[in-house]
Amino acid sequence: MDVQLSWNLVHDVRQLLEFHFMVNALRAGTIVAVVAGAIGYVMVLRRQSFAGHTLALLGFPGAAGAVWLGLDASVGFFGFCIAAALILGLAPAGRAGEQSAVIGIVQSFGLACGLLFVSLYHGFLSGLNNLLFGTIVGVTDRQVLVLLVAGVVALGALAALGRPLLFASIDEAAARSRGVPTRLVGVAFLVLLGVAAAGASQVTGSLLVFALLVAPAATAVRLTARPVVGLVLSVVIALVVTWLGEGAAYFSTYPIGFWVTTFAFGLFLLASGYRAVVK
Amino acid sequence: MTTSAVRLEHASADRGGRVVWSDVSVEIPRGEFVAVLGPNGVGKSTLLQVVLGLLPLKAGHVDVLGRPAGRANARIGYLPQRRAFDPATPVRGVDVVRLGLDGDRWGVPLPFAGRWTAAGRARNERVREVIDVVGAAGYADRPIGQCSGGEQQRLLIAQALVREPELLLLDEPLDSLDVTNQASVSALIQHVCRSLGVAVMLVAHDVNPILPYLDKVLYLAHGGALMGPPEEVITADTLSMLYGTPIDVLHDRAGRLVVVGQPDAAAAHAPH
């Protein structure tokens, strides 16, 4: 493979789309960015970043376990992330602050299981990096289709939850008094978060999911206080960093996870700087 | 249409097996501004939960707007006890008010419904209208976390008012405000009560800032309740008996009442 970045943008894009694996990577990245940008925005609004982080990490034992059992990795990503979301959502809340301890325990146990599965499947070690930090090669047509279906369902569910989710996120007691089933809404949202984390894991790897789930949203909330504008902005930022990251990974020798995270971090710094100057 | 907004008959409530108050019989007329007062832990917020139907009574009966508690919640505006919004909350005041109007409806509104459909326009107008009522037009478009405590409280009152309720339940809305804002928010609540004919139950810690605006006070104490116009209920003897500790009631030169020695600390030591 001999690709060279030039100043001719049309030529660069043509090079990008030359190989089928790269087309699939861009398809998967686009789907994942839209879903993670939208759901990540609500996650930041609800301050559930730690839960989102845990769900993302739990994709790793899921995928490692699936590969060990000879299944498709995406089965493991989605299965584990959704199951973990249900556990976190349905576990009794207990005292304030205890929730994060429960999440932390679940998280470390999940990582330990992932390590066990990797060691049980001896030939798998080369894939460990890809599971943790992402790769642009090897996204199959089937995987793209799974991501598309999961993404459409998740975004549809997010739209259906809509206003009650926003209400419960910023003003839970008032929402409950108005008859919003806040607990149900919370569990449903965690499941959506699990879907978004599982999808994003397949592009950026489990450890770097936050580049797509939290960075675009955190950037967006620094730029606008309008919920709808913020959500759209978060999606746009996620798309831009994904496309830029995938392009950069293609033309360079460095991994995609590094590029996506770097671009996301750069935009976040710019937005923070803008806020500091404007204020 | 019944004349009372809330009627309790021999009502008792408990929390976790512990009786908070019992045999309470009071009636709050429509359109009156009533403060719910009493020592800490006496069940003031519990009373609001009962009125909302969120907590069933242990004994007795409660009617709200002529219906059993919980059945008329669409006609109640409720402002829960809360701390301030986080400064980083990326939502405008107008969005918070808007959620009071349609935050319980599933789905999202159609894009640009506020411009293209009559119902959407009417909803936008209603939000702007209620923001004007509470005098929050100047800062409703700012992120709510960057509004002051008094401004946030006005926006939250607007949220509670946006569906034109007949009863307003406010749980310690003055708690985190400075003295000036306590007075101006109390005056706003009185204005809302008078001009819109809304009955108000306001849970408060300290009676003094709201005293000039009230119609009645409802004192909860261990055991029962006592309700009436401030000048009848707020006497040194009555309060000392309710709180179980000496309390003085002074009259200033304008004839206003001032309660002195309202003992939160002492109440905390009282056996429950």
Side-chain angles (χ1 to χ4, degrees):
Chain A
M1 185 169 83
D2 181 31
V3 290
Q4 206 86 66
L5 195 58
S6 70
W7 289 108
N8 181 345
L9 212 59
V10 177
H11 179 65
D12 291 340
V13 170
R14 198 173 299 146
Q15 283 189 73
L16 257 181
L17 300 178
E18 202 174 329
F19 297 97
H20 187 63
F21 84 87
M22 196 56 209
V23 174
N24 268 357
L26 285 167
R27 283 177 180 154
T30 303
I31 297 164
V32 159
V34 172
V35 174
I39 290 174
Y41 179 78
V42 183
M43 177 189 80
V44 167
L45 205 66
R46 293 175 67 82
R47 297 193 227 172
Q48 288 186 318
S49 295
F50 188 43
H53 183 58
T54 299
L55 294 178
L57 288 184
L58 288 176
F60 162 63
V67 172
W68 172 49
L69 295 173
L71 299 169
D72 198 317
S74 60
V75 173
F77 275 123
F78 280 113
F80 256 59
C81 287
I82 293 171
L86 284 172
I87 291 170
L88 291 186
L90 297 175
R95 285 181 297 111
E98 204 169 78
Q99 184 86 12
S100 57
V102 172
I103 295 174
I105 292 164
V106 172
Q107 175 179 323
S108 54
F109 179 65
L111 283 176
C113 289
L115 199 61
L116 174 72
F117 297 149
V118 168
S119 70
L120 285 173
Y121 184 81
H122 295 290
F124 184 62
L125 264 174
S126 65
L128 178 61
N129 262 339
N130 294 345
L131 286 184
L132 289 179
F133 296 105
T135 171
I136 47 170
V137 295
V139 180
T140 62
D141 289 347
R142 219 180 68 89
Q143 232 175 323
V144 172
L145 186 69
V146 171
L147 285 175
L148 182 65
V149 171
V152 168
V153 170
L155 286 183
L158 185 70
L161 288 176
R163 286 170 290 203
L165 177 60
L166 180 66
F167 203 0
S169 301
I170 63 174
D171 206 346
E172 194 182 356
R176 202 180 315 123
S177 78
R178 282 289 162 90
V180 173
T182 50
R183 189 160 161 77
L184 183 74
V185 167
V187 174
F189 177 72
L190 272 179
V191 170
L192 295 186
L193 192 54
V195 172
S201 299
Q202 295 171 51
V203 172
T204 61
S206 285
L207 288 184
L208 301 179
V209 161
F210 258 38
L212 289 180
L213 212 51
V214 83
T219 307
V221 300
R222 276 166 174 70
L223 298 176
T224 177
R226 293 164 177 261
V228 176
V229 177
L231 190 137
V232 171
L233 193 59
S234 173
V235 168
V236 170
I237 293 169
L239 276 174
V240 168
V241 298
T242 305
W243 287 336
L244 282 177
E246 293 192 318
Y250 180 72
F251 287 111
S252 73
T253 54
Y254 306 120
I256 176 176
F258 165 73
W259 285 116
V260 171
T261 311
T262 303
F263 288 125
F265 183 59
L267 280 180
F268 175 75
L269 281 186
L270 281 178
S272 298
Y274 167 80
R275 254 269 291 260
V277 170
V278 164
K279 251 187 168 178
Chain B
M1 191 158 141
T2 49
T3 51
S4 64
V6 177
R7 208 177 70 229
L8 290 130
E9 281 169 7
H10 305 292
S12 306
D14 67 354
R15 275 239 136 110
R18 183 176 71 85
V19 176
V20 275
W21 35 259
S22 60
D23 201 26
V24 171
S25 298
V26 291
E27 189 172 339
I28 292 167
R30 284 173 182 264
E32 282 201 357
F33 185 178
V34 177
V36 181
L37 301 157
N40 277 343
V42 81
K44 300 185 293 265
S45 298
T46 303
L47 178 61
L48 297 193
Q49 305 275 299
V50 164
V51 170
L52 281 166
L54 298 175
L55 186 75
L57 282 176
K58 188 78 181 160
H61 188 74
V62 55
D63 260 345
V64 181
L65 299 169
R67 309 196 59 187
R71 295 286 177 77
N73 282 10
R75 289 145 66 204
I76 300 177
Y78 172 52
L79 183 59
Q81 189 177 8
R82 68 165 320 130
R83 290 174 309 195
F85 283 97
D86 185 276
T89 307
V91 169
R92 297 168 301 166
V94 62
D95 298 313
V96 172
V97 176
R98 174 72 186 232
L99 284 170
L101 189 62
D102 60 5
D104 57 344
R105 289 174 51 177
W106 298 104
V108 288
L110 292 171
F112 308 110
R115 248 166 265 170
W116 293 348
T117 70
R121 267 196 300 274
R123 278 196 287 273
N124 282 358
E125 217 159 277
R126 175 66 195 143
V127 170
R128 288 290 162 192
E129 199 179 281
V130 78
I131 285 172
D132 281 338
V133 167
V134 301
Y139 44 83
D141 287 317
R142 291 221 309 262
I144 192 156
Q146 285 164 31
C147 295
S148 73
E151 291 169 347
Q152 290 186 15
Q153 216 49 261
R154 282 166 185 271
L155 286 162
L156 288 169
I157 290 170
Q159 186 198 54
L161 278 177
V162 69
R163 274 204 245 181
E164 305 183 50
E166 293 157 58
L167 171 65
L168 208 50
L169 306 177
L170 309 171
D171 201 347
E172 305 215 357
L174 308 177
D175 218 31
S176 55
L177 305 183
D178 58 39
V179 179
T180 327
N181 269 311
Q182 285 185 344
S184 68
V185 170
S186 303
L188 166 68
I189 294 166
Q190 187 195 39
H191 168 73
V192 162
C193 176
R194 296 279 181 276
S195 62
L196 306 176
V198 180
V200 179
M201 285 175 82
L202 181 148
V203 171
H205 224 70
D206 181 7
V207 66
N208 292 317
I210 36 174
L211 207 42
Y213 308 97
L214 292 174
D215 292 312
K216 294 210 176 101
V217 290
L218 165 54
Y219 267 98
L220 283 175
H222 300 290
L226 195 62
M227 185 167 136
E231 58 275 15
E232 283 176 26
V233 177
I234 300 184
T235 64
D237 289 345
T238 314
L239 292 189
S240 301
M241 181 199 75
L242 280 169
Y243 281 84
T245 184
I247 292 181
D248 290 312
V249 176
L250 311 177
H251 293 260
D252 73 0
R253 262 174 277 184
R256 285 179 305 207
L257 298 171
V258 182
V259 178
V260 183
Q262 200 165 305
D264 282 331
H269 292 299
H272 291 303

